Amino acid sequence: MNKINLKTAFITGISGQDGAYLSKLLLEKGYKIIGITRNNHSDSFEKLKSLKIDERIVMEECDLLDISSVIALIDKYLPDEIYNLAAQSSVGQSFKQPIGTINFNIISVLNLLEAIRLMKPDVRFYQASSSEMYGKVSNLPVSINTPMHPLSPYAISKASAHWTVVNYRESYGLYACNGVLFNHESYLRSSGFFVKKVLHESVRNKYNPNWILKVGNIDIKRDFGYSPNYVEAMWLMLQCENADDFIICSGTSITLRSIIEYIFGRLNISLDRLLIDTDLMRPTEIEDIYGDNTPAKTKLGWKYELDFYAVLDILIAEELKEFELK
Ligand code: NAP
């Protein structure tokens, strides 16, 4: 007889890339999922629809900046696990909206932790931390103990939220974890992000003689992975005996330039179509960053061996399929 999992999980940021893949994973594991959204309109859930899981999730509209609303939701559903993925998630956007980014990305986390502490302190809490917190690093690979030197309002907000989680774990004994994820991509990534932007534009404009791909600094290096595999690490973090923080990454970095060259090569696009636009450069930029995923592999049993070029092959195929279907 199949064991029925009766756990209930909240997922904030349910409409985003990771919200969609994490929902799919938890549904497969038998969870009841309550999707927390700021905007309960069906057109917000395109990513869930594309995975054909939108109708299996109970949606709740909630302003995470309003603690009374958060308390009411915890009281209503008594969740076992909360995955907090909601955030203004773009580094570039955070330079344009620093106050909004810092305000939402910190206060929403504090409200969730306070509500858990007051209402149901046995809830297991996952926070979507980010490698951006480490910023200007002098020693690579990054480990969980690497000193933080954030280089953007987004990174500052994530660092503050990260330490808030640590503080609630240490002060009140909550089961609260930070998953420090490095860049991870998928077909469901929003089009403002670099890899998706290059793929989306290249596939659609390949035969357009007037198209030019405008990019900022493409000589920086990042550690890239695949979202459907990274959400598994989120779940694993909440299944341990004790709460802890983990780096989730591929373990190597590549330049943005090499990603463009690979995609252009696969699509037979000339590199003459590439234009470096100084308007797209950021005020400050991390030069190179990659992490150490050994603790995630040894302590969580997380498995990840994908080379990013193999991920790009998956993404190119999905992008072409979607384009040809339309
Ligand atoms: P995403 O696709 O941009 O999704 C972000 C989610 O947050 C969306 O559901 C969005 O809702 C919600 N959101 C944004 N601003 C909000 C606000 N002011 N109030 C309420 N909800 C808001 O991001 P993702 O790639 O899935 O990433 C998930 C989490 O991991 C984020 O916290 C991100 O910062 C973090 N992270 C991501 C990466 C990565 O490479 N993907 C790496 C490290 C950390 P709407 O649909 O309503 O806009």
Side-chain angles (χ1 to χ4, degrees), residues 165-227:
V165 170
V166 174
N167 180 251
Y168 270 67
R169 184 170 71 223
E170 291 176 348
S171 303
Y172 306 113
L174 297 191
Y175 191 112
C177 305
N178 288 294
V180 184
L181 271 60
F182 282 58
N183 295 61
H184 48 283
E185 309 298 317
S186 75
Y187 173 70
L188 297 182
R189 189 75 142 136
S190 298
S191 55
F193 290 91
F194 174 79
V195 175
K196 180 69 180 184
K197 173 185 151 159
V198 176
L199 280 164
H200 187 87
E201 283 197 34
S202 303
V203 164
R204 280 153 190 82
N205 293 291
K206 190 178 147 164
Y207 297 113
N208 174 358
N210 300 320
W211 171 69
I212 294 285
L213 179 69
K214 289 186 184 172
V215 291
N217 181 356
I218 53 171
D219 292 314
I220 56 170
K221 297 177 88 178
R222 291 288 183 275
D223 179 331
F224 285 100
Y226 190 40
S227 173

Side-chain angles (χ1 to χ4, degrees), residues 13-19 38-39 85-89 104 128-131 154 158 181-185 189-190 193:
I14 189 95
S15 56
Q17 167 188 260
D18 291 358
R38 61 174 159 178
N39 186 0
L85 310 182
Q88 192 302 95
S89 64
F104 180 78
S129 272
S130 165
S131 56
Y154 169 80
K158 286 289 182 179
L181 271 60
F182 282 58
N183 295 61
H184 48 283
E185 309 298 317
R189 189 75 142 136
S190 298
F193 290 91

Side-chain angles (χ1 to χ4, degrees), residues 21-304:
Y21 286 115
L22 179 64
S23 298
K24 185 166 182 287
L25 179 79
L26 296 190
L27 285 170
E28 284 163 6
K29 292 186 182 297
Y31 279 70
K32 174 180 179 180
I33 298 179
I34 315 299
I36 313 290
T37 175
R38 61 174 159 178
N39 186 0
N40 200 357
H41 292 147
S42 64
D43 55 2
S44 304
F45 307 123
E46 290 307 320
K47 295 179 171 73
L48 296 169
K49 279 182 196 157
S50 84
L51 298 181
K52 300 185 175 49
I53 54 173
D54 53 306
E55 290 179 357
R56 297 173 62 195
I57 294 167
V58 178
M59 289 297 173
E60 284 281 0
E61 207 168 81
C62 177
D63 178 1
L64 295 173
L65 296 180
D66 175 28
I67 191 166
S68 306
S69 307
V70 179
I71 284 176
L73 269 190
I74 291 182
D75 193 36
K76 181 172 175 186
Y77 290 102
L78 299 174
D80 301 286
E81 298 173 6
I82 297 181
Y83 296 85
N84 184 36
L85 310 182
Q88 192 302 95
S89 64
S90 156
V91 173
Q93 192 63 23
S94 79
F95 283 106
K96 294 178 190 148
Q97 296 175 344
I99 296 166
T101 301
I102 287 177
N103 188 44
F104 180 78
N105 290 4
I106 299 173
I107 302 300
S108 56
V109 180
L110 196 51
N111 281 344
L112 282 160
L113 289 166
E114 263 300 279
I116 290 169
R117 183 178 76 84
L118 295 169
M119 301 298 297
K120 196 171 182 291
D122 65 341
V123 169
R124 294 190 166 208
F125 180 79
Y126 171 88
Q127 166 62 13
S129 272
S130 165
S131 56
E132 292 287 328
M133 301 181 304
Y134 295 105
K136 197 171 170 182
V137 282
S138 41
N139 290 315
L140 292 172
V142 167
S143 77
I144 203 73
N145 296 319
T146 296
M148 293 179 187
H149 185 145
L151 289 175
S152 66
Y154 169 80
I156 292 167
S157 73
K158 286 289 182 179
S160 180
H162 180 99
W163 286 112
T164 305
V165 170
V166 174
N167 180 251
Y168 270 67
R169 184 170 71 223
E170 291 176 348
S171 303
Y172 306 113
L174 297 191
Y175 191 112
C177 305
N178 288 294
V180 184
L181 271 60
F182 282 58
N183 295 61
H184 48 283
E185 309 298 317
S186 75
Y187 173 70
L188 297 182
R189 189 75 142 136
S190 298
S191 55
F193 290 91
F194 174 79
V195 175
K196 180 69 180 184
K197 173 185 151 159
V198 176
L199 280 164
H200 187 87
E201 283 197 34
S202 303
V203 164
R204 280 153 190 82
N205 293 291
K206 190 178 147 164
Y207 297 113
N208 174 358
N210 300 320
W211 171 69
I212 294 285
L213 179 69
K214 289 186 184 172
V215 291
N217 181 356
I218 53 171
D219 292 314
I220 56 170
K221 297 177 88 178
R222 291 288 183 275
D223 179 331
F224 285 100
Y226 190 40
S227 173
N229 293 123
Y230 279 35
V231 299
E232 285 177 26
M234 300 177 183
W235 176 76
L236 285 168
M237 264 179 243
L238 296 200
Q239 315 310 313
C240 296
E241 196 176 334
N242 298 309
D244 205 350
D245 306 320
F246 287 91
I247 299 275
I248 305 300
C249 64
S250 76
T252 53
S253 61
I254 57 173
T255 63
L256 305 192
R257 184 181 293 279
S258 62
I259 291 174
I260 295 175
E261 287 172 355
Y262 189 80
I263 294 171
F264 275 25
R266 286 286 314 275
L267 297 173
N268 286 323
I269 297 173
S270 163
L271 286 170
D272 295 343
R273 301 287 196 94
L274 191 59
L275 179 74
I276 307 295
D277 181 350
T278 50
D279 286 345
L280 295 176
M281 304 266 184
R282 288 175 183 163
T284 47
E285 189 77 91
I286 303 172
E287 288 302 318
D288 183 13
I289 191 164
Y290 57 93
D292 177 9
N293 59 23
T294 313
K297 287 183 168 173
T298 54
K299 294 185 188 166
L300 295 177
W302 183 58
K303 295 185 178 62
Y304 192 78

